Amino acid sequence: MDLTDFGAGAQYIAGRQSRGSGDAFQVVNPADGSVVQEISLASTGQVDEAVAAARAALPEWAGATPGARSEALTRLAAVLTDAAADLARVETAQTGKPIKLSTEFDVPGTVDNTAFFAGAARNLEGKAAGEYSGDHTSYVRREAIGVVGSISPWNYPLQMAAWKVLPAIAAGNTIVLKPAELTPLTSLMFARACTLAGIPDGVVNVVTGAGRVAGEHLVSHPDVAMVSFTGSTPVGKRVAELATATVKRTHLELGGKAPFVVFDDADLDAAVHGAVAASLINSGQDCTAATRAYVQRPLYDAFVAGVAELYREIRLGDPLDPRTDLGPLVSFTHRDRVAGFVERARGYATVVTGGAAPTKGHDGTDLTRGAYYLPTLITGAAQDSEVVQGEIFGPVLVVLPFDSDDEGLRLANDTPYGLAASAWTGNVHRSLRATRELAAGCVWVNDHIPIISEMPHGGYKSSGYGKDMSQYSLDEYTQVKHVMFDTTAVARKDWHRTVFGDR
């Protein structure tokens, strides 16, 4: 099976690839506007078909031993490793992200996630069995929830597909995944890799369709027991609303506006380099990307100058060129949205560098056919301004000064979001206070962005709830059952008298 053969269509149901019965759609390379693949989108009927396939596969898969599921995921990790070059190439073609990011971050991270959940599948944790009442033995079972309906975003199509699929199937569930129609190709490759690894047909299904058609139908489906969504906070609220009608478990990883707090004893060079990397990863299209740098006043001017200098050295160009640092945004529509934030900010803040679409790449190539945008640094914005409060989701960093530690932490927490944050300091007491008080699901100290399979990823506040990766994620895809055995063999138990009779 050639994982890169998309000729059969963009739906993968019960182990077979097929064409959608909905509208035609083009997957476009945002680096040059070329068509990567012509597809047809899924209809609601095909969503029903996928859910039925997942439901039919559930008894066998949920009934498999943890060891059997682990072995299947181990085989999947090997299949993905063998396909690494193709996965990276297709990921770059559909998203425009630099090939070095696809090759060194997205694909190996996905393989590592797969290997982690192969091990986690054999580790179902619960309270120790025991006689907690004195007259009964109690223990806890962790069981599969059922069919999971998942919706993944366009910014990390392969990794987000894995984050949805792996914990769900490791715990014995089956899944219907709806990837973003802009970037479905590596999700399809992942599903086909599952078949090659021997995972039974129907355990992993993919429907590629529009959110308001396929997505809403999947979330509302009565046979879907759990919904997992990664995307914007407004759409997440809609997902939660639809899921509530049938009392589904929900898992929401939503927007972010991560603060990057630099105290006056920080290593300035490290903070500058960290801010550039953390704000520009994936062209800033990352919900954990550094978007608001709060810098204590003694370092503020030097920090702004240092970031601006490095921003001007960033190499924009062909994403397939391994020297390219920054690729295009995912589409012209999104590029224009990002540019709109910056243009409006000119009325109340200073654009230090960037703030435009480039015409030439680092090697002189024409970039006007792509959705490129220069790394953009903004200063002088008020805390309540749009660029400080709104999720821009592009290569834009806003820098604000602060004086006292109290002020810096207060400003950092002053948005509706709480997905990620970082603190930069050489003082252990400052770092401990920051990690305690920053209201975010992930807080880095003297770094920003690295993630690992063994640790959870998820937010506070309007950034949603639930965890991806780690044992915590596996647990969320299980339901807990308390089992209790009488150990006395006594027919008339003492507690019965509270209902009838006397002692």
Side-chain angles (χ1 to χ4, degrees):
M1 181 187 292
D2 178 7
L3 297 186
T4 63
D5 181 6
F6 305 108
Q11 318 306 322
Y12 197 79
I13 301 171
R16 292 177 296 280
Q17 199 159 324
S18 61
R19 297 185 185 280
S21 51
D23 294 340
F25 189 83
Q26 293 181 333
V27 178
V28 174
N29 185 334
D32 58 14
S34 63
V35 176
V36 180
Q37 187 68 39
E38 298 261 5
I39 63 173
S40 297
L41 299 178
S43 64
T44 57
Q46 287 176 305
V47 174
D48 292 338
E49 183 185 346
V51 172
R55 189 177 182 187
L58 182 63
E60 177 187 354
W61 185 249
T65 65
R69 293 197 292 267
S70 174
E71 289 172 3
L73 290 173
T74 298
R75 294 192 299 270
L76 176 59
V79 172
L80 295 172
T81 298
D82 290 343
D86 286 339
L87 287 165
R89 177 178 55 79
V90 174
E91 192 77 331
T92 286
Q94 68 179 352
T95 64
K97 66 180 62 190
I99 191 66
K100 65 180 180 180
L101 183 65
S102 296
T103 302
E104 299 178 32
F105 183 74
D106 295 64
V107 174
T110 300
V111 173
D112 186 69
N113 267 219
T114 307
F116 171 82
F117 280 107
R122 306 184 75 153
N123 184 35
L124 297 175
E125 293 186 340
K127 198 166 186 176
E131 290 69 48
Y132 295 98
S133 78
D135 293 334
H136 306 81
T137 296
S138 290
Y139 66 85
V140 169
R141 291 177 56 87
R142 283 194 175 272
E143 298 179 344
I145 296 171
V147 177
V148 177
S150 290
I151 300 176
S152 55
W154 48 257
N155 57 334
Y156 289 100
L158 177 63
Q159 280 203 323
M160 295 296 103
W163 284 16
K164 301 299 183 191
V165 170
L166 293 170
I169 67 172
N173 303 285
T174 55
I175 190 168
V176 178
L177 174 73
K178 193 206 86 66
E181 60 269 34
L182 289 175
T183 57
L185 302 181
T186 48
S187 298
L188 290 163
M189 293 173 72
F190 188 87
R192 298 176 81 182
C194 289
T195 298
L196 282 178
I199 294 172
D201 293 347
V203 172
V204 177
N205 307 275
V206 175
V207 289
T208 302
R212 291 193 177 275
V213 179
E216 293 203 358
H217 192 65
L218 177 62
V219 170
S220 305
H221 201 289
D223 290 334
V224 169
M226 176 179 175
V227 170
S228 178
F229 170 79
T230 297
S232 71
T233 296
V235 178
K237 291 178 180 178
R238 174 63 175 164
V239 167
E241 176 187 352
L242 292 170
T244 299
T246 46
V247 198
K248 304 182 195 302
R249 183 180 299 193
T250 54
H251 172 285
L252 303 176
E253 198 265 90
L254 307 178
K257 190 70 178 174
F260 187 101
V261 184
V262 183
F263 294 99
D264 57 14
D265 64 341
D267 181 324
L268 178 63
D269 191 49
V272 166
H273 282 80
V276 171
S279 60
L280 299 185
I281 186 170
N282 204 35
S283 298
Q285 300 168 130
D286 186 309
C287 49
T288 63
T291 60
R292 299 176 291 139
Y294 295 98
V295 184
Q296 207 151 22
R297 207 168 294 274
L299 296 185
Y300 177 81
D301 290 339
F303 179 88
V304 170
V307 171
E309 181 180 359
L310 287 182
Y311 267 14
R312 295 184 185 106
E313 296 175 2
I314 294 296
R315 297 169 296 187
L316 287 81
D318 179 0
L320 289 174
D321 182 346
R323 297 172 298 166
T324 293
D325 298 322
L326 197 71
L329 298 177
V330 73
S331 68
F332 280 98
T333 299
H334 186 59
R335 197 271 304 276
D336 292 346
R337 177 184 176 276
V338 170
F341 273 93
V342 176
E343 291 309 305
R344 290 189 295 273
R346 293 183 191 277
Y348 56 80
T350 300
V351 178
V352 177
T353 189
T359 57
K360 297 291 184 181
H362 65 88
D363 59 355
T365 54
D366 179 17
L367 298 185
T368 57
R369 291 185 301 156
Y372 290 88
Y373 199 73
L374 289 169
T376 300
L377 183 64
I378 296 175
T379 61
Q383 176 67 15
D384 62 354
S385 63
E386 182 187 45
V387 289
V388 174
Q389 295 293 325
E391 188 176 26
I392 301 173
F393 223 60
V396 179
L397 178 65
V398 184
V399 187
L400 300 92
F402 70 92
D403 293 303
S404 69
D405 290 16
D406 288 349
E407 181 189 17
L409 295 172
R410 177 180 59 78
L411 292 172
N413 285 332
D414 182 29
T415 72
Y417 301 105
L419 186 58
S422 65
W424 296 74
T425 176
N427 184 297
V428 65
H429 301 292
R430 264 180 166 166
S431 66
L432 287 171
R433 180 187 177 190
T435 57
R436 182 175 66 250
E437 294 187 12
L438 286 168
C442 177
V443 179
W444 294 280
V445 176
N446 295 330
D447 209 342
H448 191 116
I449 283 298
I451 54 175
I452 50 174
S453 297
E454 291 83 358
M455 288 293 159
H457 175 85
Y460 286 15
K461 303 190 292 186
S462 291
S463 291
Y465 48 82
K467 300 299 180 184
D468 291 311
M469 301 193 295
S470 82
Q471 184 71 37
Y472 295 95
S473 179
L474 181 72
D475 291 349
E476 290 194 9
Y477 286 89
T478 65
Q479 49 193 353
V480 173
K481 179 185 288 182
H482 169 217
V483 178
M484 183 178 248
F485 288 89
D486 171 62
T487 60
T488 66
V490 173
R492 184 74 186 273
K493 296 180 172 57
D494 185 56
W495 74 266
H496 292 177
R497 68 183 176 83
T498 64
V499 181
F500 70 100
D502 302 316
R503 186 181 294 275

